[in-house]
Amino acid sequence: MTAICELPTARLVDTSFAKVLAMVFGSGLSMYLLTSVVPLYLAANGAGGIGAGLSTGAMMFSAVAVELLVPRMLARWGYRVVLGLGLVLLGAPALVLLGTAALPVVLAVCVVRGAGLAILVVGAVALVADLTPAARRGEALGVYGVAVGVPAVIGLPLGVYLTHVIGFAALFVLAAVASLAGLVALIGLPATAGGEEQHVRVLGGVRRSGLLMPSLVFAAVTVAAGISVTFLPLAVASGKQSMVATALLLQAIAAPAARWVAGRYADRVGPAKLLAPALLLAAAGAGSLVFLPSPVAVLVGSTCFGIGFGAAQNLTLTLMYNRVDRNRYGQVSALWNLAYDGGWGTGAIVFGIVVSGVGYPIAFALTAGVVAMAVVPAVRACGV
């Protein structure tokens, strides 16, 4: 892979790109407002830690299933129709939670929202790659990462905080509106991909094209991400929820900032050289939660994990796009998001089961170990 030393100075964020950023901001806010709140909602109504893990897992595994279909949907119906469907599926079901906290219904809502999330993340990332020049792809994906990450900065801590201020019902309405408002941003976006999309299965040719190992490496770090946002509010005593909100805020700020910085440097030195250090930092951050309920461990660990996680997002995605032709961008987007959501959902479900037997410190130590093990294949597969 050849590093790019001189980058074009042409304007990166044009009108179409700005509309994509506006859309992903709204949908991201819808997702992150409820990411930690739905587990709290279930726990408050007697579902416990297993119910909390199932809610996150249901959404993410639904996303995994639908992500396999999105490249074909984009090829058949185009960006505007498919992304519009995703916005509706992500936003509207949140209103169902106004009427019930029954676990089967909540899980069904999570499944539908997961389908909407899958459509949005795969379609938006593919569209960003399609709209921007290859020489500035890392930077473009970094800017996209900021637009996705800012809602996390706002939504993760704000959702937890607002449960005590305006209640669950108002939050559900706010999450629905945030996603549905993104429909306006679709006006004027390209209807179809700039290149003819290759009709390949999402998992077709993954090993031969060098996409398998970056996907697995990224999945390892997303396991810890799903665990932290789902269980950190439950692992800390109720009187210290302000500390949890602060920790989630620091993590949410660090991730998009690191994603943008990593993209800038990846365009110059190549993403492979930066991936292993990012994973080590994420592992250290996840491991610090062993020392709960220490405020220093929680706050510093969340920040370190946010930096490592954000950098890993950009570096793995850039690396994968650099290894394929343009007509396989949809496949790369789907595959990367499969790793994201699959790891997130697996981590939440398995952690919910493990923690009931061994407690939070040991469970968080095992989480850090999973991330740390990914360093070895990252070094081997990425040529560092």
Side-chain angles (χ1 to χ4, degrees):
M1 180 174 57
T2 303
I4 299 170
C5 298
E6 296 184 3
L7 302 180
T9 58
R11 182 182 178 187
L12 182 64
V13 182
D14 58 12
T15 301
S16 294
F17 195 3
K19 289 181 177 180
V20 175
L21 298 179
M23 179 197 66
V24 300
F25 178 87
S27 59
L29 185 61
S30 177
M31 174 191 172
Y32 285 112
L33 276 174
L34 301 188
T35 296
S36 294
V37 167
V38 170
L40 286 174
Y41 183 57
L42 286 170
N45 287 276
I50 293 179
L54 287 175
S55 68
T56 299
M59 183 171 183
M60 293 309 170
F61 282 121
S62 170
V64 167
V66 175
E67 280 161 358
L68 294 168
L69 307 176
V70 177
R72 185 169 295 180
M73 294 169 64
L74 291 172
R76 182 168 183 176
W77 295 307
Y79 287 119
R80 284 201 298 264
V81 171
V82 174
L83 291 174
L85 176 62
L87 290 168
V88 172
L89 293 179
L90 179 65
L95 299 175
V96 175
L97 299 178
L98 294 172
T100 181
L103 182 59
V105 177
V106 175
L107 294 181
V109 167
C110 292
V111 167
V112 177
R113 295 190 81 230
L117 175 66
I119 292 170
L120 290 167
V121 294
V122 174
V125 173
L127 181 54
V128 168
D130 208 8
L131 290 173
T132 54
R136 302 183 72 183
R137 183 175 296 130
E139 183 181 3
L141 293 173
V143 173
Y144 168 81
V146 172
V148 174
V150 169
V153 173
I154 299 171
L156 283 174
L158 186 63
V160 174
Y161 172 74
L162 287 181
T163 57
H164 305 290
V165 179
I166 62 175
F168 290 111
L171 276 174
F172 298 150
V173 173
L174 182 59
V177 171
S179 182
L180 296 174
L183 292 169
V184 178
L186 294 178
I187 301 173
L189 284 181
T192 57
E196 185 178 352
E197 186 74 15
Q198 206 174 47
H199 291 281
V200 298
R201 294 176 298 169
V202 170
L203 301 179
V206 169
R207 180 173 297 179
R208 294 190 304 274
S209 58
L211 300 178
L212 178 60
M213 194 55 65
S215 301
L216 295 178
V217 166
F218 183 53
V221 73
T222 62
V223 163
I227 289 169
S228 65
V229 298
T230 302
F231 287 96
L232 188 57
L234 303 178
V236 178
S238 58
K240 297 184 177 180
Q241 288 303 303
S242 61
M243 180 182 70
V244 174
T246 302
L248 292 175
L249 175 63
L250 292 173
Q251 179 175 315
I253 291 173
R259 192 169 178 177
W260 177 74
V261 172
R264 293 277 293 180
Y265 280 97
D267 284 336
R268 291 165 170 80
V269 304
K273 294 181 179 179
L274 304 176
L275 184 55
L279 292 172
L280 288 172
L281 192 57
S288 70
L289 297 180
V290 170
F291 301 103
L292 283 170
S294 166
V296 174
V298 173
L299 297 176
V300 174
S302 295
T303 303
C304 290
F305 179 77
I307 295 172
F309 178 50
Q313 289 181 65
N314 190 302
L315 297 171
T316 52
L317 185 57
T318 303
L319 183 65
M320 293 168 71
Y321 274 125
N322 288 348
R323 291 181 172 183
V324 301
D325 295 328
R326 187 178 184 182
N327 57 11
R328 298 184 71 176
Y329 283 178
Q331 181 192 20
V332 167
S333 179
L335 188 63
W336 184 85
N337 281 288
L338 282 172
Y340 193 123
D341 298 333
W344 193 294
T346 299
I349 290 177
V350 173
F351 191 93
I353 297 171
V354 170
V355 75
S356 63
V358 302
Y360 282 106
I362 294 178
F364 280 124
L366 293 173
T367 302
V370 170
V371 180
M373 286 191 298
V375 175
V376 175
V379 170
R380 290 177 177 175
C382 300
V384 179

